[in-house]
Amino acid sequence: MLDAQNGIAYMKLTSFQKTTSRDVDAALWSLHGQGMRWLVIDLRRNPGGLLNAAVEIADKFLPTGVIVSTRVRSTREDYDYQAHSVVRGRVPLVV
């Protein structure tokens, strides 16, 4: 918690790897238990990582719509990643 009195939580994501989604889930549960009312997600100096991991994280916070689209030479391999999660415990978010 960045500011426990006001319920401001801080989460720094340093990369998007296989376990990142699970780690974010655990952190969010913990922060909610500590009274999180606001969330700051810090992506500075995050070099990226696995596309699927980044999509899973975005899907936790976006209720609907396109998260990201990939376009390659063969249109058969184009793909739109859609948000489809039920966003629970919504709090104001700053990224």
Side-chain angles (χ1 to χ4, degrees):
M1 290 296 282
L2 188 61
D3 179 350
Q5 182 177 347
N6 292 306
I8 301 172
Y10 173 85
M11 180 185 304
K12 181 168 183 63
L13 295 176
T14 57
S15 65
F16 296 103
Q17 300 303 318
K18 283 196 311 188
T19 62
T20 303
S21 181
R22 184 179 63 219
D23 296 342
V24 167
D25 282 341
L28 289 173
W29 276 106
S30 174
L31 291 168
H32 275 292
Q34 296 174 53
M36 175 178 64
R37 294 187 320 203
W38 305 82
L39 178 60
V40 177
I41 297 178
D42 186 351
L43 296 174
R44 294 175 294 173
R45 293 180 274 298
N46 179 326
L50 302 173
L51 177 61
N52 286 343
V55 168
E56 287 177 19
I57 300 303
D59 196 29
K60 294 178 189 312
F61 300 100
L62 300 171
T64 60
V66 175
I67 294 173
V68 67
S69 298
T70 59
R71 300 290 179 259
V72 294
R73 289 184 183 181
S74 170
T75 57
R76 288 177 287 152
E77 297 177 25
D78 291 350
Y79 195 76
D80 293 325
Y81 293 87
Q82 297 283 333
H84 58 280
S85 285
V86 175
V87 180
R88 290 176 221 175
R90 260 186 128 160
V91 296
L93 175 68
V94 175
V95 179

